[in-house]
Amino acid sequence: MVKACIFDLDGVIVDTAKYHYLAWKKLADELGINFTEKDNERLKGVSRKQSLEIILELGNLKLDEKEKERLAEKKNNWYVEYISRMEKSEILPGVEEFVNKLRENNIKIAIASASKNTRTILERLGLEKKFDVIIDGTMIDKAKPNPEIFLKAAECLKVQPGECIVFEDAVAGIESAKRAGMKVIGVGDPSILIDADAVIQNFEGLDLHFICTL
Ligand code: B16
Ligand code: MG
């Protein structure tokens, strides 16, 4: 029985993935590294630190820890600038209606995002009070695909992993949720999200019966 839905943030609630891409692209250009939208798929759902490692690897560049920290901070400053201009209209189609439907049916809801900017984004979109629990990148030790983030969300919601449905747009996030023992609905391209139990394009018209039959 489904008692809770756990949402990833970037790429599920709002398309911040495009702002992550723009900020990483700016950094990669500065470093003379060729970084494409296809490469960006590998960054979805993984931590800031790990994302930088992937970009440096693409450019065959080895830097010391201090320099890496400086670059990650530089990227984050650009990213924060982009998201500070985000509008409520950028919430992805059907999200608010679906979340309201869950609340009306007493299904608990949580956010489980690797992003350390989670609260800033939710506040900017006026969504921070909609969720029973918010687990973000500041509260976990092990990044997705480790299951820690989703297990922590279930624990805080006081439900069992098997009673949760996760919504994820990233391959790393799907693996994380599966390892936590949860059902996963991918949001995006079915040819990329092949390990999800089902894939939707967005939340428009999504009904509870469908998620309960997974
Ligand atoms: P930040 P999610 C993830 O959020 C993003 O998908 C990923 O691209 C990003 O690197 C990560 O958050 C860390 O974000 O730099 O803001 O701390 O998809 O788990 O909601
Ligand atoms: Mg995501």
Side-chain angles (χ1 to χ4, degrees):
M1 188 180 153
V2 179
K3 289 196 179 162
C5 283
I6 307 178
F7 296 79
D8 172 53
L9 176 65
D10 291 326
V12 168
I13 301 287
V14 64
D15 186 16
T16 38
K18 66 176 181 236
Y19 299 125
H20 276 297
Y21 174 66
L22 288 175
W24 282 125
K25 176 82 182 142
K26 207 163 164 174
L27 188 76
D29 286 349
E30 268 196 17
L31 296 169
I33 297 172
N34 183 31
F35 176 61
T36 64
E37 282 197 61
K38 187 159 178 269
D39 297 323
N40 191 54
E41 276 308 312
R42 291 174 61 198
L43 269 49
K44 289 186 180 173
V46 306
S47 70
R48 195 181 308 167
K49 197 163 180 267
Q50 183 61 24
S51 300
L52 178 62
E53 295 291 353
I54 293 171
I55 290 175
L56 295 178
E57 190 193 297
L58 286 170
N60 243 325
L61 210 60
K62 291 199 175 22
L63 300 173
D64 63 36
E65 281 309 310
K66 223 169 153 212
E67 182 61 359
K68 286 188 211 168
E69 266 169 41
R70 192 185 71 81
L71 292 179
E73 196 185 326
K74 194 171 186 182
K75 177 266 171 179
N76 191 54
N77 290 339
W78 285 325
Y79 176 68
V80 169
E81 211 178 297
Y82 288 130
I83 60 175
S84 70
R85 290 195 292 266
M86 232 166 29
E87 304 281 342
K88 208 172 154 57
S89 61
E90 291 178 60
I91 297 173
L92 290 170
V95 167
E96 281 193 282
E97 294 80 352
F98 184 65
V99 164
N100 290 339
K101 215 184 277 179
L102 293 174
R103 296 205 76 93
E104 284 158 18
N105 285 275
N106 295 320
I107 295 178
K108 294 178 178 178
I109 43 180
I111 288 279
S113 167
S115 176
K116 293 181 173 155
N117 296 298
T118 294
R119 285 187 186 265
T120 311
I121 295 169
L122 290 175
E123 278 164 24
R124 175 84 200 149
L125 300 173
L127 290 176
E128 75 279 15
K129 295 204 170 69
K130 293 259 183 196
F131 297 90
D132 300 301
V133 162
I134 296 171
I135 310 290
D136 67 25
T138 65
M139 300 159 80
I140 48 159
D141 295 321
K142 300 178 207 85
K144 298 172 188 176
N146 187 285
E148 181 190 8
I149 193 163
F150 290 114
L151 291 173
K152 195 161 192 160
E155 192 188 319
C156 293
L157 288 168
K158 300 191 174 57
V159 295
Q160 294 303 313
E163 296 169 329
C164 300
I165 302 267
V166 170
F167 291 91
E168 256 292 348
D169 72 315
V171 172
I174 290 172
E175 185 182 335
S176 167
K178 287 253 132 186
R179 282 166 64 185
M182 300 175 182
K183 293 270 189 223
V184 195
I185 298 184
V187 182
D189 183 346
S191 70
I192 296 173
L193 309 176
I194 44 177
D195 290 327
D197 295 293
V199 178
I200 56 172
Q201 296 310 306
N202 59 49
F203 290 88
E204 265 176 338
L206 182 62
D207 74 5
L208 294 187
H209 181 69
F210 172 73
I211 67 165
C212 293
T213 53
L214 281 180

